[in-house]
Amino acid sequence: MALLQISEPGMSAAPHQHKLAIGIDLGTTNSLVATVFSGMSKVLQDEHGHALLPSVVRYLPSGEVVVGHEAQAQQSADPVNTVVSVKRFMGRSLKDIADRAHIPYHFVDSADTTKHLQIQTRAGLRTPIEISAEILKTLKARAEKSLGGELTGAVITVPAYFDDAQRQATKDAARLAGLNVLRLLNEPTAAAVAYGLDNAAEGTFVIYDLGGGTFDVSILKLTKGVFEVLATNGDSALGGDDFDHRIYCWVLDEIRTKVRESHGHFNPLNEQDTRLLLTKSRQAKEWLTDNHEAQITCRLSDGSFVDVTLTATQFLELTQHLVTKTLSPTLKAMRDANLGIEDIKGVVLVGGATRMPQVRHAVEDYFQQTPLTNLDPDKVVALGAAIQANALVGNRSEEDLLLLDVTPLSLGLETMGGLVEKIIPRNSTLPVARAQDFTTYKDGQTAMSIQVLQGERELVADCRSLARFELRGIPPMAAGAARIRVTFQVDADGLLSVSAREQTSGIEANVVVKPSYGLTEDEITQMLKSSFGSAETDKKSRMLAEARVSAGAIIQSVKLALAADSNLISDVEKLAIEAEILKLEAIAKTEDAAAINKAVDSLNHATEAFAAARMNASVSRALAGKNLDEVNL
């Protein structure tokens, strides 16, 4: 369905009032830029008619930087200075890149843990943010040339399962490229916008997005222009590059076998040969989309000739585990949305890697229906981003297009006993703000340390720390009397800020979470796996921690009371209470939550008479020297 911008006579905006906005799909393999013309979104092409811009950046000896097809053509000849698939390094440190054997770059880890890794090029050290900015600058220039004016802003898409660090890195790259970022938009949501509006679709749809470096699956409910994300899942370290790598490894095995058969010695590949074989592997993968076999031929730098044939059947066997790997997040997203296969109206395929026959067959078998492919899977994300950008700058009413995205992981803070109190649960609709009141643990406490956490487990040790800050200047009060309200806010881009405010004094502290670039997809996946597989263990751990906190609080309270008013009870009663304290202190060191709670009850019972005596004494002191009329007043 075309989007027509129709106005009442005399009510249409003047041509010069139309603001120029673009949508950018910053992809692992290719990137695109799109805009809205006369109500219809369209991908912009370069002067040669290319819509896709290869996400490849090359640093030349002259100091010039080239991006796209020209850089891609030299990636095998100059692999060290030609960076491909930089998106996989966004928001990452060196320790997060487990398998670097086939990556021909010279990495340098930053001494500052809050900074990106760096890549050594002839132009000097470059971070993934700087390299991505070069791609975005090229797309920005293409848009300005095509549209003939200055851009108002851009919507940039990111994988739904990008964590805070990866999102922040993307936003930083856009700012470095001189773009005004209107919003970071999840790729599956952008695809749903393009598909839903173009097809007047309504119902519940699955967006299966397998790109060059990332996999996302989102379940959305489309209703009259409202796009509500019900659940999301994925793997930000799984994509078409991994299929290329499997072919590359197979080619290496074939070369080694032939060398052994000829009684020769296999020499390790240099950087040029590694990049050459990876490029040939990608070309073979693409050829097998429509053909039964692919010939891989090239000459290596030592003069040896590679000539092997990969069949479609062999390719399927090599990569079946990668296809299966996409179905696990899909199943989890379906469970989170509480939906069955019969509830899904359609499955939209997004990303160039979904062109592989084995991927399409797997999706069709799982959902028992033919996937929807009437929109180009390479372009659909950029088209949706352009539609959202057009709405955000006011060229069309935002009321006609409402996006309700979600958080991928729960957010919370640390409480006494090393427990995690979840403030915003995963799959909460964005933007979201939630607050919860906390109090002090000790008498006279004037400061509180707040640790912000991300994850699904019950204990701090099992979750990821995002930030720490302190609230100071709390008025000295009795333990439990202060009221500190902690507010979590996640904006439409999925970025978090946290504030804490003491209610009586108005003292406040806050932090915009700028996480270290070290949260790996494996850690995210493991967080979710652990939360499902360790629910019973976590429950017991939480009960034990809560019992110990309760025990500590009553022990401290009773000790302070004895120090102040032990004269109100007999020595025998005092000894009995002290014996119960010692008993509780010993039991609190055990792993038996039920026994600790029982000992707490026993101490409570032992101090009932003492508590009554203290109450009577307090009342007597309050009434001392006052007549009946004064009391009534």
Side-chain angles (χ1 to χ4, degrees):
M1 178 180 71
L3 293 177
L4 300 179
Q5 295 174 323
I6 301 174
S7 302
E8 293 294 329
M11 298 297 291
S12 60
H16 68 274
Q17 292 178 331
H18 183 84
K19 297 178 181 178
L20 302 181
I22 56 174
I24 292 178
D25 175 8
L26 182 60
T28 304
T29 306
N30 295 294
S31 296
L32 303 93
V33 58
T35 192
V36 173
F37 284 112
S38 301
M40 296 186 66
S41 56
K42 178 182 178 181
V43 172
L44 301 177
Q45 298 179 342
D46 65 12
E47 61 272 20
H48 303 295
H50 298 134
L52 298 179
L53 175 73
S55 300
V56 183
V57 178
R58 185 185 179 209
Y59 296 92
L60 301 182
S62 63
E64 184 185 358
V65 181
V66 293
V67 179
H69 294 279
E70 183 181 347
Q72 187 180 50
Q74 297 299 317
Q75 63 182 356
S76 298
D78 189 17
V80 175
N81 300 291
T82 308
V83 185
V84 303
S85 299
V86 68
K87 184 174 179 178
R88 300 198 100 173
F89 307 137
M90 293 289 274
R92 293 291 172 253
S93 65
L94 188 59
K95 65 183 177 61
D96 299 317
I97 306 174
D99 183 10
R100 301 197 296 272
H102 69 287
I103 303 176
Y105 309 129
H106 298 157
F107 291 108
V108 178
D109 207 3
S110 172
D112 184 347
T113 58
T114 65
K115 299 296 182 182
H116 271 293
L117 60 82
Q118 297 171 310
I119 298 174
Q120 182 68 59
T121 71
R122 61 165 58 97
L125 293 175
R126 291 292 182 269
T127 67
I129 289 178
E130 294 170 301
I131 298 167
S132 296
E134 297 294 346
I135 300 170
L136 291 170
K137 285 177 188 176
T138 303
L139 293 173
K140 177 174 179 279
R142 179 189 295 186
E144 289 174 337
K145 184 176 181 180
S146 297
L147 302 178
E150 186 176 345
L151 302 177
T152 301
V155 168
I156 300 177
T157 61
V158 293
Y161 229 52
F162 254 22
D163 61 38
D164 279 358
Q166 292 165 306
R167 290 170 188 271
Q168 190 63 57
T170 303
K171 203 164 188 177
D172 290 345
R175 284 197 290 262
L176 191 60
L179 288 165
N180 173 33
V181 182
L182 301 169
R183 180 175 175 182
L184 296 181
L185 182 62
N186 286 347
E187 290 167 3
T189 309
V193 169
Y195 181 83
L197 292 181
D198 198 61
N199 293 274
E202 290 197 356
T204 302
F205 289 80
V206 172
I207 312 298
Y208 179 101
D209 183 358
L210 185 62
T214 59
F215 171 68
D216 282 310
V217 58
S218 290
I219 301 173
L220 294 93
K221 186 176 181 181
L222 280 58
T223 312
K224 297 179 180 178
V226 178
F227 297 78
E228 180 183 5
V229 181
L230 303 179
T232 190
N233 214 300
D235 188 335
S236 64
L238 173 64
D241 285 358
D242 297 287
F243 289 78
D244 299 348
H245 186 232
R246 288 301 303 129
I247 298 176
Y248 165 83
C249 292
W250 176 83
V251 173
L252 280 185
D253 288 340
E254 291 294 302
I255 295 173
R256 290 191 183 100
T257 299
K258 290 183 178 180
V259 169
R260 282 196 299 268
E261 289 174 352
S262 62
H263 306 289
H265 176 69
F266 177 76
N267 296 316
L269 298 183
N270 59 26
E271 293 148 347
Q272 287 83 0
D273 291 341
T274 296
R275 176 53 61 196
L276 176 60
L277 286 182
L278 281 169
T279 301
K280 292 293 182 179
S281 296
R282 176 177 56 80
Q283 293 170 350
K285 175 191 69 178
E286 294 170 354
W287 181 259
L288 287 171
T289 296
D290 300 308
N291 298 277
H292 295 297
E293 63 180 34
Q295 199 76 15
I296 301 174
T297 58
C298 61
R299 188 172 296 280
L300 302 180
S301 57
D302 63 359
S304 61
F305 191 68
V306 176
D307 185 6
V308 294
T309 302
L310 177 67
T311 67
T313 301
Q314 288 173 312
F315 182 43
L316 174 61
E317 293 172 352
L318 288 172
T319 59
Q320 187 58 49
H321 70 289
L322 295 175
V323 177
T324 303
K325 202 173 176 181
T326 69
L327 297 180
S328 178
T330 303
L331 176 60
K332 290 175 184 175
M334 292 287 288
R335 286 175 177 170
D336 285 345
N338 197 27
L339 296 173
I341 301 299
E342 67 280 359
D343 300 313
I344 303 302
K345 184 174 181 180
V347 183
V348 180
L349 295 184
V350 180
T354 60
R355 298 181 189 276
M356 289 184 284
Q358 61 263 49
V359 172
R360 295 196 172 188
H361 291 154
V363 172
E364 183 172 352
D365 290 344
Y366 183 84
F367 287 100
Q368 299 172 22
Q369 58 180 287
T370 303
L372 303 167
T373 56
N374 57 312
L375 288 180
D376 188 332
D378 283 318
K379 298 179 180 179
V380 64
V381 169
L383 295 173
I387 294 170
Q388 173 68 353
N390 195 54
L392 289 176
V393 297
N395 290 335
R396 68 187 296 269
S397 172
E398 288 190 61
E399 294 178 359
D400 298 335
L401 175 60
L402 178 61
L403 303 183
L404 302 174
D405 230 323
V406 297
T407 57
L409 286 170
S410 298
L411 297 162
L413 51 78
E414 178 182 5
T415 59
M416 287 300 299
L419 300 175
V420 179
E421 185 67 25
K422 292 184 178 68
I423 307 298
I424 298 179
R426 67 191 177 96
N427 285 327
S428 295
T429 301
L430 297 179
V432 60
R434 293 190 183 178
Q436 192 163 322
D437 287 348
F438 296 86
T439 189
T440 50
Y441 180 70
K442 293 184 177 181
D443 291 342
Q445 185 175 336
T446 60
M448 177 179 287
S449 177
I450 297 172
Q451 181 176 195
V452 182
L453 300 156
Q454 184 180 41
E456 305 306 318
R457 299 291 295 273
E458 296 289 340
L459 302 181
V460 170
D462 299 321
C463 292
R464 181 60 178 245
S465 176
L466 293 181
R468 293 175 183 267
F469 67 104
E470 288 189 349
L471 176 65
R472 293 187 172 276
I474 301 171
M477 306 181 196
R483 287 290 176 268
I484 292 93
R485 177 157 297 175
V486 180
T487 304
F488 277 53
Q489 291 182 301
V490 183
D491 64 17
D493 296 333
L495 301 176
L496 170 68
S497 61
V498 183
S499 64
R501 179 185 178 89
E502 202 286 309
Q503 298 294 81
T504 59
S505 65
I507 295 294
E508 188 170 1
N510 58 75
V511 61
V512 176
V513 176
K514 283 274 210 174
S516 65
Y517 297 136
L519 184 57
T520 68
E521 177 54 31
D522 287 341
E523 287 175 315
I524 292 177
T525 303
Q526 190 58 43
M527 286 177 188
L528 292 176
K529 284 183 179 178
S530 297
S531 69
F532 296 132
S534 307
E536 189 60 34
T537 302
D538 284 353
K539 182 180 178 181
K540 290 179 180 178
S541 297
R542 187 177 187 92
M543 289 173 62
L544 177 60
E546 288 175 342
R548 285 175 173 167
V549 170
S550 177
I554 190 173
I555 287 171
Q556 182 181 29
S557 177
V558 173
K559 283 183 175 180
L560 290 173
L562 285 174
D565 296 315
S566 62
N567 60 299
L568 298 177
I569 55 177
S570 67
D571 290 342
V572 174
E573 289 173 314
K574 181 181 176 182
L575 288 172
I577 291 173
E578 289 175 339
E580 290 292 337
I581 291 175
L582 291 173
K583 177 183 174 184
L584 178 54
E585 286 177 335
I587 294 176
K589 296 176 182 178
T590 70
E591 304 293 318
D592 192 339
I596 296 172
N597 288 329
K598 186 177 179 180
V600 168
D601 291 339
S602 181
L603 179 56
N604 269 323
H605 180 70
T607 57
E608 286 176 353
F610 180 36
R614 294 191 76 207
M615 179 64 73
N616 291 335
S618 178
V619 171
S620 296
R621 285 193 295 270
L623 297 179
K626 296 182 180 180
N627 58 39
L628 187 60
D629 291 335
E630 289 175 322
V631 173
N632 288 334
L633 289 173

